[in-house]
Amino acid sequence: MDINDMRVIVTVVAFACFLGICLWAYSKHAKAGFDEAARLPLTDDDLPAASGRRE
């Protein structure tokens, strides 16, 4: 096994990981979690507004 075989193996494994992440990201199972995360910036925080100006 030479260095070119290792390069091919690493490339194939990386591509398989990429495809796995894409399938997970676009699966219906993950949609609910992503929708909840998308609404996080719009939630009402009970934190007081910052007093004073930053200079």
Side-chain angles (χ1 to χ4, degrees):
M1 179 178 278
D2 64 345
I3 190 69
N4 289 326
D5 292 336
M6 286 299 295
R7 289 177 179 163
V8 169
I9 292 170
V10 169
T11 301
V12 170
V13 169
F15 185 66
C17 289
F18 173 76
L19 288 179
I21 291 170
C22 288
L23 290 173
W24 167 76
Y26 287 104
S27 70
K28 291 182 180 181
H29 178 68
K31 182 172 176 20
F34 290 144
D35 287 341
E36 181 182 345
R39 288 188 300 271
L40 281 176
L42 304 176
T43 59
D44 188 19
D45 292 332
D46 292 327
L47 300 175
S51 60
R53 290 179 16 191
R54 293 176 67 172
E55 295 180 25

